[in-house]
Amino acid sequence: MPRLWLWLMILPLWAPLAARAQLPVVISSGPDKVAVTLYRDPDRGEAPLDRDEPGAFALIAETRTVMLPPGEAVIRFEGVASGIVPQSAILFGAPPRERNRDAALMSQKGLVDAFTGQRVILRRTDPASGRTVEESATVRSAADRLVVTTMRGVEALYCSGLHQTLLYPGAPATLSAKPVLTMTTRDQPGGPATITLAYIATGFDWDAIYVGTLAPDGQSLDLLGWLTLASADDTSFADATASAIAGRVNRSEDSRDDSGERAREEARYLNRFSACWPAGTTSDLGSGTPPPPAPPPMAMMMAGEDIVVTAQRRQEGMLSAPAPVAVVARAENLGDLKLYRIPVPVTVAARAQKQVAFLVKQKVKGSLVYRTEMRWEEPDDPRMLFRFRNGRKDGLGDPLPAGRAVLYQDSPWGRMYVGESTTGDKTVDEEVEWSFAQASNLTLEPEQEEAGKGILHHNLVVRNANPFPIRFEIDFPANGGRLFSGFSGRLTKKPGKQVWAMTVPANGTIRLRFRSAGQPH
């Protein structure tokens, strides 16, 4: 009698679990439409984009059409991003109850795990005859090494150096060729439904690249801005509505999920070449060392090289010569952030990058400046920079996301590369300075004379070897350890420093006299 009461108490609890396990499964093989919004890594600052391992994320919204049965059902979303953060997933159009990510992707290790203890077909090259033969084998171990048993004995596969492969009778239902997210719906009426799945996925990032062409007089430049979108995800999103968000957003630890990447790496890992027996099987008693693992196929190596070279040539072509821009991303306000939307569908390809123009401006007014800074007793080597104000009256007036600037200048020999710089986020009406090269046609000749009590008299000779006049500036920091005074020219005060500016004539020379006192901190 006590056992009967126990079963009567357990059955009401067990029945819903059993029913839930047998819920109908609706498979959605892929989205009808998809939107991908990439966010920039806020911790990267002005550092370059890591195209192999981008450290930011993307918001992905997929619209799918499914046929739902009445009641509760499990929707299996295939083809989601492999870096999906499951806890960020939101479902619109069907009431969700629970969600799960299936990390068991189709892989060699996944197949070995699924068929451990079962019979498979081993296809190999016979070492005696050189012919391809097949025989029955049983998978015995799947712990990062592949061990099988055949009529010859226990054997570690891939140790002979000859061609070997396993043929499986079918694909296990537990494995998927695509990343999968499953969601269980609540009770609903059923029928055709258009649903939207939105989620955050890691492994994305973007950067800005500015290509500027300086006018011959250095007083303006033509500016072209590119968005570089990077994806390290295993999933491609074809004909997507793509956009990028500029600005710093708060991000919690919940959106930094990396369990999907760990699961994928574990699924891929199958050690083919370590811990091999000297002769391949336990029944062989010969000695010797196994041959080294075969190198990657030449076709794969060449394909990788072709991709790299093509990408480099394409980027160099885009950066070195202006061309008509057919598509330009449109800037939109998103609170305090800026959203750049690509107006045509694009493919955000797996493990790839894409460049789209987002800024096209002609004749942005500015000035070419040669500048140095007084460090202690002598100035630093002078550098060239282009300075402009990000205002509409100067030909710009758009927010400039952080990134890299590459500058060219026309010459009698064609367009020449003159240098590059990094830049942080710049707002409208903010002064922008791109320091891009060390000055070669400007030399400084500093001279000092001690006057006692730590006082130095300075005489700085500035020589301009250019056939045109230049603007030269020298910064005197206010907290650099010495107090500078007695200037022969007029200085302008700026935060934390004083600036002496002068126009140096073509092939001319100027002199600056001043004194300094104090001791370094």
Side-chain angles (χ1 to χ4, degrees):
M1 184 65 67
R3 289 186 179 181
L4 177 61
W5 280 104
L6 180 61
W7 277 106
L8 291 176
M9 294 176 63
I10 292 177
L11 279 175
L13 299 176
W14 177 82
L17 296 177
R20 187 175 303 176
Q22 298 178 0
L23 291 177
V25 177
V26 177
I27 297 178
S28 175
S29 59
D32 303 324
K33 296 187 297 184
V34 61
V36 181
T37 303
L38 281 75
Y39 289 75
R40 191 179 189 276
D41 184 357
D43 299 325
R44 186 159 50 86
E46 298 180 11
L49 170 68
D50 187 341
R51 304 191 180 196
D52 295 325
E53 297 182 2
F57 60 97
L59 173 63
I60 299 173
E62 303 178 358
T63 301
R64 301 174 180 234
T65 303
V66 294
M67 180 65 72
L68 296 177
E72 298 180 351
V74 176
I75 306 177
R76 182 180 174 91
F77 294 95
E78 295 184 349
V80 296
S82 56
I84 184 175
V85 180
Q87 57 268 32
S88 70
I90 303 175
L91 184 62
F92 302 94
R97 190 183 66 192
E98 64 183 48
R99 57 199 170 195
N100 298 282
R101 175 176 53 195
D102 187 352
L105 298 180
M106 188 76 71
S107 65
Q108 184 172 220
K109 187 175 187 299
L111 287 170
V112 170
D113 288 341
F115 280 92
T116 296
Q118 301 183 40
R119 286 192 172 274
V120 295
I121 300 298
L122 172 59
R123 178 181 291 170
R124 70 164 93 215
T125 300
D126 190 313
S129 63
R131 293 182 301 158
T132 298
V133 296
E134 295 183 356
E135 59 183 302
S136 177
T138 302
V139 179
R140 292 301 183 191
S141 175
D144 86 351
R145 282 295 299 140
L146 181 48
V147 178
V148 298
T149 56
T150 65
M151 295 183 63
R152 308 184 187 193
V154 181
E155 180 177 350
L157 214 60
Y158 307 122
C159 283
S160 67
L162 301 175
H163 174 73
Q164 296 175 317
T165 189
L166 291 183
L167 304 180
Y168 300 92
T174 56
L175 298 185
S176 171
K178 303 176 182 179
V180 172
L181 177 77
T182 59
M183 278 198 172
T184 303
T185 69
R186 297 174 183 171
D187 192 12
Q188 39 80 38
T194 299
I195 57 178
T196 299
L197 176 68
Y199 56 89
I200 289 174
T202 58
F204 294 84
D205 201 355
W206 73 274
D207 209 359
I209 297 181
Y210 302 95
V211 182
T213 302
L214 284 168
D217 60 0
Q219 300 305 303
S220 67
L221 86 165
D222 296 339
L223 191 58
L224 177 61
W226 293 94
L227 295 178
T228 300
L229 312 178
S231 168
D233 203 84
D234 294 328
T235 302
S236 292
F237 299 97
D239 297 328
T241 300
S243 54
I245 297 290
R248 189 180 183 91
V249 297
N250 290 330
R251 186 179 174 194
S252 68
E253 289 301 319
D254 290 340
S255 66
R256 299 175 185 269
D257 180 272
D258 65 346
S259 58
E261 181 64 25
R262 286 201 303 270
R264 291 195 305 277
E265 289 301 321
E266 291 172 359
R268 290 191 190 103
Y269 183 70
L270 181 64
N271 191 343
R272 288 185 171 214
F273 303 112
S274 68
C276 284
W277 291 305
T281 68
T282 52
S283 59
D284 296 327
L285 300 179
S287 61
T289 58
M298 185 60 67
M300 292 177 61
M301 296 174 63
M302 290 301 296
E305 291 173 0
D306 287 345
I307 290 173
V308 172
V309 172
T310 302
Q312 289 177 345
R313 288 177 178 170
R314 182 182 179 188
Q315 186 180 41
E316 290 172 1
M318 287 190 298
L319 297 183
S320 62
V325 179
V327 178
V328 179
R330 299 168 182 169
E332 304 174 13
N333 291 322
L334 185 66
D336 290 338
L337 305 175
K338 206 72 173 179
L339 182 145
Y340 295 92
R341 189 185 308 277
I342 301 173
V344 297
V346 297
T347 295
V348 181
R351 299 192 176 276
Q353 297 86 42
K354 180 180 294 292
Q355 284 191 316
V356 179
F358 75 97
L359 184 72
V360 181
K361 297 291 182 179
Q362 303 292 326
K363 298 185 183 302
V364 177
K365 297 178 183 178
S367 58
L368 191 63
V369 180
Y370 290 73
R371 186 174 66 186
T372 186
E373 181 176 347
M374 199 72 186
R375 288 296 185 183
W376 173 233
E377 294 182 357
E378 295 185 354
D380 284 343
D381 293 333
R383 293 189 61 81
M384 298 173 61
L385 62 92
F386 186 79
R387 176 186 296 149
F388 60 96
R389 181 162 292 278
N390 184 15
R392 293 196 179 278
K393 67 178 183 179
D394 297 309
L396 194 51
D398 291 321
L400 302 178
R404 181 166 59 97
V406 182
L407 295 185
Y408 295 85
Q409 191 168 30
D410 289 329
S411 73
W413 302 277
R415 179 166 285 113
M416 305 298 291
Y417 169 82
V418 294
E420 59 185 74
S421 179
T422 58
T423 179
D425 293 318
K426 300 297 180 180
T427 62
V428 175
D429 291 329
E430 185 176 358
E431 186 177 79
V432 182
E433 292 183 345
W434 289 344
S435 176
F436 57 87
Q438 185 171 330
S440 57
N441 288 341
L442 184 84
T443 57
L444 305 180
E445 298 176 7
E447 298 176 359
Q448 299 89 25
E449 180 181 345
E450 294 187 7
K453 296 183 179 181
I455 298 176
L456 292 177
H457 288 282
H458 299 263
N459 181 30
L460 179 62
V461 179
V462 183
R463 301 185 186 278
N464 177 24
N466 290 296
F468 50 83
I470 64 167
R471 179 180 174 86
F472 172 73
E473 295 180 358
I474 178 170
D475 295 346
F476 295 91
N479 54 356
R482 293 188 72 84
L483 179 63
F484 299 96
S485 61
F487 293 95
S488 59
R490 185 177 179 180
L491 276 74
T492 301
K493 288 187 177 180
K494 290 192 175 183
K497 64 183 179 180
Q498 298 183 89
V499 180
W500 180 80
M502 181 65 65
T503 298
V504 186
N507 298 310
T509 301
I510 61 172
R511 294 177 182 269
L512 174 63
R513 296 182 177 87
F514 58 96
R515 62 177 178 267
S516 64
Q519 298 295 329
H521 293 168

